[in-house]
Amino acid sequence: MSSSKLVAHCCIAGSGPAGMMLGFLLARAGIDVIVLEKHADFLRDFRGDTIHPSTLEIIHELGLLDELLRLPHETVYRLNAQIGDTTLTLADFTHLPTRCRFIAFMPQWDFLDFLADHARRYRTFRLLMQAEVTDIVKEAERVVGLRVKTPTSTLEVRADLVVAADGRQSIVREKAGLPVQEFGAPMDVLWFRLSRKRDDTAQTMGRFDTGRIFIMINRGEYWQCGYVIPKGQFDEIRKQGLESFRETIGQLAPHARDQVNELQSWDDIKLLTVRVDRLSQWFRPGLLCIGDAAHAMSPVGGVGINLAIQDAVAAANALAEPLRKRQVTVDELRRIQKRREFPTRVTQWLQLTVQRRVIAPVLSGTRRVKPPLLLRLIAAIPLLRRIPAYVIGIGVRPEHIRTPEIPRDAD
Ligand SMILES: Cc1cc2nc3c(=O)[nH]c(=O)nc-3n(C[C@H](O)[C@H](O)[C@H](O)COP(=O)(O)OP(=O)(O)OC[C@H]3O[C@@H](n4cnc5c(N)ncnc54)[C@H](O)[C@@H]3O)c2cc1C
């Protein structure tokens, strides 16, 4: 196996929403950047699908909104949930003070391909696929690079700054020994597809019933389904057999009852482990963590992608100039943590509250589920629906593009 060395101003581990957006913005600002992704493509089923109004605003600021919205997507103006027998509208995005007053549901691989295609137009951008980060390189207590394994070689990538954007199981943060606070989650998610009939008029929605939570996302030809289960219960569900599982899903989604037989084996059903955590320090000299690598998000509210992108925008805004001068100090990294930690704390607090007050009781309950008073109020008073819409759609401290664009044909 051959071994070689690469050098860049910035090296990013992971090309999820955080890593890809940061790589794009830095390359657009003329910074020499290498993004490393362990998979060969972005085609993984378990990637979240939501592009929120604040992310769409960022895409608009980059001048790419019309092009993005030409890709197939579902436009969701209101979030509905069925709780017990009652269907409620819990968030109404149509009054948000932004350009796009909706959530675009788009397969994340399309979104990442879109960002990668635009990033590749800058010659300072390099994306290495099938490049798995295995370790950090340190010199005199400073992180100076990453060790990488590809199918045919090993690499050492040296950079003035290393960014960990390698998600909630980040190897980089582990190797850097950054301390993690775990907050726990009462659930895991079973993720699978059911084909969607042409005349199916049902929309993306969540259903809460005794001991069960079920989410269906309209992906055009098929439903992307998420069945939320109490943490650690997958083995028990498997023991009860596939027929029993199909029966449960048929009850939760009567309009897709005929399609449950498409679930032929447990291989068609993926277990997604949910965790919520946060680093107490997001940096070391020469290293910054962003996105889930700094703070693993619960799927509650579907806001993790949005937060990851906001981190990337804030990091690019703060780092483009120091990276150009090749002088990134620990103080700059500390300031990025300070800026992004507040929105993260507030969002995780809300997610943990929903996990504790809504999800855990529904999953452990045996009595008929009824909407709690707060949700009934939100559903009954249209003005109140704007509050969850703002929290989900825009969030705390939205970021804006402040990095310059270096003309693509410039030297
Ligand atoms: C079940 C579930 C459903 C969710 N649904 C939604 C949703 O609908 N909407 C939403 O906004 N959020 C959702 N979330 C949260 C969301 O997935 C994350 O918050 C978001 O993906 C974080 O983005 P990221 O770029 O930081 O990390 P990731 O999206 O995890 O990306 C990390 C990238 O790094 C790569 N990588 C990992 N290790 C290495 C390595 N060693 N070397 C090289 N590359 C590596 C990975 O392959 C990946 O491409 C969900 C979470 C869960 C658990």
Side-chain angles (χ1 to χ4, degrees):
M1 197 177 262
S2 67
S3 149
S4 51
K5 278 195 181 174
L6 291 175
V7 179
H9 290 170
C10 181
C11 174
I12 301 171
S15 68
M20 187 64 88
M21 181 57 93
L22 180 60
F24 173 29
L25 292 177
L26 291 180
R28 181 176 170 274
I31 307 298
D32 184 23
V33 58
I34 295 179
V35 183
L36 303 161
E37 169 57 48
K38 71 176 173 185
H39 290 102
D41 55 39
F42 303 120
L43 285 172
R44 259 142 305 120
D45 236 348
F46 54 86
R47 291 192 174 275
D49 273 343
T50 49
I51 308 183
H52 287 235
S54 55
T55 299
L56 293 167
E57 192 71 20
I58 284 167
I59 300 294
H60 164 71
E61 289 170 8
L62 292 166
L64 302 175
L65 185 62
D66 291 344
E67 199 182 327
L68 179 73
L69 293 180
R70 280 199 287 275
L71 297 176
H73 66 279
E74 188 198 0
T75 305
V76 172
Y77 293 94
R78 291 176 189 82
L79 282 187
N80 298 323
Q82 183 179 339
I83 302 181
D85 294 327
T86 319
T87 302
L88 307 171
T89 298
L90 299 179
D92 179 353
F93 301 105
T94 58
H95 300 278
L96 287 180
T98 53
R99 193 162 306 268
C100 297
R101 295 171 182 171
F102 54 83
I103 292 184
F105 276 76
M106 181 183 289
Q108 201 188 108
W109 52 84
D110 284 345
F111 181 54
L112 293 176
D113 275 335
F114 176 84
L115 291 180
D117 285 348
H118 280 278
R120 281 192 193 98
R121 295 176 192 184
Y122 300 94
R123 61 178 181 73
T124 47
F125 181 81
R126 279 176 283 177
L127 171 62
L128 307 188
M129 303 301 285
Q130 289 186 285
E132 181 177 358
V133 175
T134 53
D135 206 347
I136 56 174
V137 182
K138 269 173 99 179
E139 267 176 15
E141 293 312 303
R142 187 180 173 90
V143 177
V144 293
L146 293 171
R147 291 193 205 289
V148 182
K149 195 174 76 184
T150 76
T152 53
S153 66
T154 58
L155 288 176
E156 189 178 299
V157 184
R158 291 254 170 173
D160 300 331
L161 178 71
V162 168
V163 178
D166 49 345
R168 55 186 182 274
Q169 265 133 30
S170 170
I171 183 91
V172 179
R173 80 178 189 186
E174 184 196 317
K175 295 286 182 183
L178 288 164
V180 188
Q181 288 173 274
E182 298 272 356
F183 302 109
M187 76 281 203
D188 289 324
V189 181
L190 301 182
W191 204 237
F192 53 91
R193 294 175 176 198
L194 296 177
S195 63
R196 184 169 169 271
K197 289 185 271 188
R198 269 177 195 281
D199 57 352
D200 193 342
T201 53
Q203 288 306 313
T204 292
M205 76 175 282
R207 179 161 182 193
F208 294 69
D209 218 328
T210 315
R212 294 151 186 201
I213 301 174
F214 188 57
I215 292 140
M216 291 182 94
I217 300 170
N218 178 353
R219 278 192 182 163
E221 307 259 292
Y222 64 94
W223 289 106
Q224 180 61 63
C225 304
Y227 182 48
V228 183
I229 60 170
K231 195 161 239 356
Q233 286 284 301
F234 188 39
D235 282 347
E236 186 53 38
I237 290 171
R238 282 167 69 118
K239 263 193 218 142
Q240 288 164 13
L242 199 55
E243 192 44 49
S244 156
F245 183 74
R246 286 195 286 247
E247 181 59 31
T248 304
I249 301 303
Q251 285 164 8
L252 288 166
H255 58 96
R257 185 179 274 282
D258 295 345
Q259 287 90 298
V260 293
N261 287 328
E262 293 166 9
L263 300 172
Q264 288 289 313
S265 83
W266 290 109
D267 293 342
D268 296 329
I269 298 149
K270 294 194 179 68
L271 170 69
L272 304 186
T273 308
V274 178
R275 64 191 280 186
V276 185
D277 65 32
R278 191 169 63 239
L279 297 180
S280 23
Q281 187 177 311
W282 298 17
F283 59 89
R284 288 260 189 259
L287 169 71
L288 174 70
C289 300
I290 61 169
D292 270 21
H295 46 74
M297 303 301 291
S298 160
V300 169
V303 290
I305 296 168
N306 201 39
L307 224 70
I309 285 181
Q310 303 281 320
D311 281 3
V313 173
N317 288 343
L319 293 171
E321 211 35 51
L323 277 167
R324 194 187 318 286
K325 294 184 189 145
R326 310 199 69 168
Q327 285 172 356
V328 179
T329 64
V330 163
D331 282 344
E332 263 130 13
L333 304 180
R334 186 176 290 114
R335 274 196 290 274
I336 296 169
Q337 171 174 353
K338 197 160 175 234
R339 180 165 182 89
R340 296 305 308 156
E341 193 169 4
F342 176 67
T344 305
R345 277 176 181 268
V346 174
T347 313
Q348 287 185 326
W349 179 81
L350 287 168
Q351 291 188 321
L352 293 169
T353 305
V354 173
Q355 284 186 180
R356 201 174 48 246
R357 304 278 289 269
V358 182
I359 293 178
V362 169
L363 290 179
S364 62
T366 46
R367 278 184 300 156
R368 197 97 194 100
V369 176
K370 283 199 210 136
L373 178 64
L374 180 64
L375 297 191
R376 276 183 280 144
L377 281 175
I378 288 174
I381 305 172
L383 213 63
L384 288 185
R385 294 178 204 159
R386 298 184 191 186
I387 300 170
Y390 192 92
V391 174
I392 295 171
I394 295 185
V396 182
R397 193 176 279 161
E399 303 287 347
H400 296 280
I401 304 287
R402 308 260 183 253
T403 40
E405 178 177 16
I406 302 300
R408 282 197 288 262
D409 53 351
D411 224 30

